[in-house]
Amino acid sequence: MTQWRLWHGDVLVGELAEYGCDQPFFLANFTPGPGWESVRGLFEAWAAYRGADPDGTRFVALTKPIHDLRLSLAPADGRHPSLRLFENCMLKIDGAEARLRY
């Protein structure tokens, strides 16, 4: 399975190791990196997102701050281009678990 690195500029936020699939998401183990604490609160709020959101305003309020950071997700093997969060992929991190859709 694919290994990923999550970057905020040149700071490693964390690493993901895919282990399975729950369509349409790939499931991964998440290991925090040096930049995790600076974004942790945003991802915790996004992970807690549940319930009705008919017009999508809660979704936007939770994901826009993450999008605005311009985080990138790069394959560890470097064979494919990086993905930009909430432009090319969606990533939800909840503790040591991650769900990735690209």
Side-chain angles (χ1 to χ4, degrees), residues 45-65:
W46 166 227
Y49 171 72
R50 299 207 183 10
D53 186 13
D55 63 1
T57 55
R58 286 183 42 235
F59 173 84
V60 171
L62 292 168
T63 59
K64 186 172 180 344

Side-chain angles (χ1 to χ4, degrees), residues 37-100:
E37 287 305 316
S38 67
V39 299
R40 178 185 211 154
L42 295 173
F43 278 95
E44 287 176 347
W46 166 227
Y49 171 72
R50 299 207 183 10
D53 186 13
D55 63 1
T57 55
R58 286 183 42 235
F59 173 84
V60 171
L62 292 168
T63 59
K64 186 172 180 344
I66 298 170
H67 172 268
D68 290 348
L69 290 172
R70 304 206 35 87
L71 300 173
S72 61
L73 194 59
D77 63 13
R79 292 189 291 170
H80 303 288
S82 295
L83 304 173
R84 187 77 64 193
L85 266 60
F86 298 101
E87 289 180 21
N88 310 109
C89 66
M90 184 183 313
L91 176 64
K92 189 176 270 193
I93 300 170
D94 189 2
E97 296 292 318
R99 298 173 67 83
L100 171 64

